[in-house]
Amino acid sequence: MPRTPSTKMLAARKLLRSPRITGTLSWSRWSSDAAKATTEASALSDNAKRQQLLNELSEPLEQKSRPAIDPKETSVMLFPGQGTQYVGMAKELLRFPGARRIFELANEVLKYDLLKICLEGPREKLNRTEHAQLAVMVSSLAALEQLREERPKAIESCVAAAGFSLGEITALVYADALPFDKALRLVQVRATAMQAACDQAAGAMAMTLYGPDTNLGEACARAQQWCLDKGVESPYCGIANYMYPHCKVVAGNVEALEFLEQNAKALKIRRLKRLAVSGAFHTPLMQSAVEPFTKALKSVRLQDPVIRVYSNVDGKPYRHAKHILTQLPKQIVRPVKWEQTLHEMYERKQGVDFPRTFECGPGKGLVQVLEKVNAKAAQSSFNVIA
């Protein structure tokens, strides 16, 4: 016998399902069985307007014959990843009914009180991978409710989105490529599989600052060889995140990171700071997590994103739903090319203004990175903090 949805679940779904109309975008298709557009005409109108925004941004200035859409009136959304969570997150968002409803639906799907963990912790519980990833994703989507209440035009005029690591899944939910309830289950599988991979091989990550005279690739190779010489089985050390010029996150076996720390001066590494994570994410040490994640992803009915969503794997926009299916699992074992993504997103001809950028979720890290990659684009950036 199929389980009958509870009254709370039905109420949350009803409130969160809104038609595809200008000002709400289509990320309000929270549930996988949610209704589509109320009328074909309104959907076509909304899609046509968004496509015009995209076309205007990519069209050379000298070829524009129709009234141009001011790029300053468009927006870009950025979503953070694991590591930004903190006890007390989402507290200020609860004054928005939409944010509360998002957590209600999440709690119903997950069968535990995620909001309570966000608000009360304890920190050790919130920082566990299986809770941290879900907390960051749901809080980031809840932050969009604040943005929708206070600056609805930012939602209406959004032309692109990107997310750091886990945040890429948030971006796909926002872009209507992935249903919210299915995304929750998918993130559960991702987090559990990644934690299992961490348990198989002790790994670590470190923010690394270096100069133009540093050969970071050679430093990682030496660390990996040192592990081999010490008898570490199948060791790895390499770049896991491309952040901004002269800053990358290096990850690998714990022994490899210890080698880099002990030999930083000789390797011309200016600073190494360990990240508070339980493993070497975005490296081959996560390989065992790929299969269960891929299997879970194949069970989801994906849709083509209604706006551009950029992949961490190569910094390029997803082309269609099938592209997501093949590309997203690679992200688990490939470096996050965030610096390259920002260059791709904000590249434009001289004299063309930048869109407004909104970082939605806990922390302010992505806007801070944008300041180092493209200071002009960052001048019109804002934080909507969860």
Side-chain angles (χ1 to χ4, degrees):
M1 290 286 292
R3 186 175 61 88
T4 302
S6 69
T7 302
K8 179 189 284 187
M9 183 69 161
L10 292 172
R13 285 181 175 177
K14 182 178 179 181
L15 289 167
L16 286 169
R17 291 177 191 168
S18 54
R20 288 192 178 198
I21 58 174
T22 301
T24 63
L25 200 62
S26 52
W27 60 278
S28 52
R29 184 179 65 88
W30 294 106
S31 184
S32 58
D33 62 348
K36 295 300 180 184
T38 53
T39 66
E40 185 175 339
S42 65
L44 289 173
S45 174
D46 196 28
N47 289 337
K49 181 172 182 179
R50 189 168 295 108
Q51 189 59 48
Q52 183 186 2
L53 290 170
L54 294 171
N55 292 341
E56 289 287 355
L57 287 176
S58 61
E59 188 179 58
L61 289 173
E62 62 272 12
Q63 294 181 9
K64 291 185 179 181
S65 56
R66 60 179 180 269
I69 294 175
D70 188 349
K72 296 195 301 292
E73 297 303 315
T74 65
S75 60
V76 169
M77 302 294 167
L78 302 180
F79 299 102
Q82 183 179 353
T84 56
Q85 71 277 355
Y86 63 94
V87 175
M89 64 193 294
K91 180 180 179 180
E92 297 301 318
L93 297 176
L94 297 181
R95 67 185 188 273
F96 300 100
R100 295 197 300 271
R101 290 193 292 265
I102 290 168
F103 273 101
E104 287 173 5
L105 182 53
N107 290 349
E108 184 71 20
V109 172
L110 297 172
K111 303 305 176 190
Y112 67 84
D113 196 338
L114 179 66
L115 179 59
K116 184 176 181 180
I117 297 175
C118 290
L119 296 175
E120 303 176 11
R123 184 176 62 181
E124 295 75 17
K125 186 174 185 178
L126 176 61
N127 285 346
R128 289 178 61 87
T129 299
E130 62 266 33
H131 294 141
Q133 293 193 11
L134 288 162
V136 171
M137 183 183 77
V138 176
S139 296
S140 297
L141 291 169
L144 284 168
E145 289 295 336
Q146 176 178 343
L147 186 62
R148 174 149 58 174
E149 290 282 344
E150 297 177 347
R151 306 183 71 162
K153 194 173 181 181
I155 301 293
E156 173 188 338
S157 62
C158 182
V159 294
F164 191 96
S165 187
L166 161 77
E168 187 171 315
I169 298 178
T170 313
L172 289 169
V173 174
Y174 173 73
D176 202 21
L178 183 63
F180 175 61
D181 55 341
K182 299 296 184 182
L184 290 169
R185 295 298 190 192
L186 189 63
V187 171
Q188 277 189 314
V189 172
R190 182 182 189 268
T192 301
M194 290 174 70
Q195 186 59 55
C198 293
D199 295 339
Q200 291 176 17
M205 306 178 76
M207 186 76 75
T208 307
L209 300 178
Y210 60 95
D213 58 341
T214 308
N215 188 330
L216 195 56
E218 181 182 339
C220 291
R222 288 180 59 181
Q224 187 168 314
Q225 185 59 50
W226 185 84
C227 289
L228 277 172
D229 295 341
K230 292 294 181 179
V232 177
E233 185 177 351
S234 303
Y236 179 81
C237 183
I239 296 168
N241 306 154
Y242 291 81
M243 302 302 295
Y244 54 85
H246 302 305
C247 178
K248 294 179 175 64
V249 172
V250 171
N253 295 82
V254 170
E255 296 88 346
L257 271 292
E258 291 173 348
F259 174 87
L260 294 178
E261 290 167 340
Q262 294 164 7
N263 297 276
K265 186 174 182 180
L267 296 170
K268 299 181 180 179
I269 295 174
R270 295 181 179 178
R271 186 183 179 193
L272 275 169
K273 181 182 179 181
R274 290 280 189 108
L275 302 184
V277 295
S278 57
F281 302 146
H282 303 290
T283 74
L285 296 181
M286 294 289 109
Q287 185 60 48
S288 63
V290 174
E291 184 178 352
F293 179 80
T294 302
K295 182 179 179 181
L297 186 62
K298 286 180 178 178
S299 70
V300 179
R301 183 177 179 181
L302 300 171
Q303 303 222 20
D304 295 344
V306 297
I307 57 172
R308 289 174 183 158
V309 176
Y310 290 76
S311 168
N312 286 177
V313 173
D314 57 10
K316 305 289 185 181
Y318 283 110
R319 298 188 297 275
H320 42 63
K322 289 184 179 179
H323 190 201
I324 297 170
L325 187 62
T326 58
Q327 189 88 324
L328 190 57
K330 298 176 185 176
Q331 188 224 55
I332 294 175
V333 293
R334 299 273 188 91
V336 173
K337 294 189 174 179
W338 191 249
E339 182 179 352
Q340 296 88 329
T341 298
L342 295 180
H343 284 306
E344 182 78 16
M345 291 181 75
Y346 294 99
E347 183 181 7
R348 59 204 58 237
K349 291 181 178 293
Q350 188 173 0
V352 178
D353 289 317
F354 290 97
R356 296 165 299 166
T357 298
F358 296 90
E359 179 181 357
C360 298
K364 300 181 179 181
L366 299 183
V367 164
Q368 292 171 353
V369 171
L370 180 59
E371 290 172 351
K372 297 179 183 299
V373 175
N374 192 323
K376 288 186 177 180
Q379 289 175 2
S380 55
S381 62
F382 308 89
N383 289 98
V384 186
I385 298 177

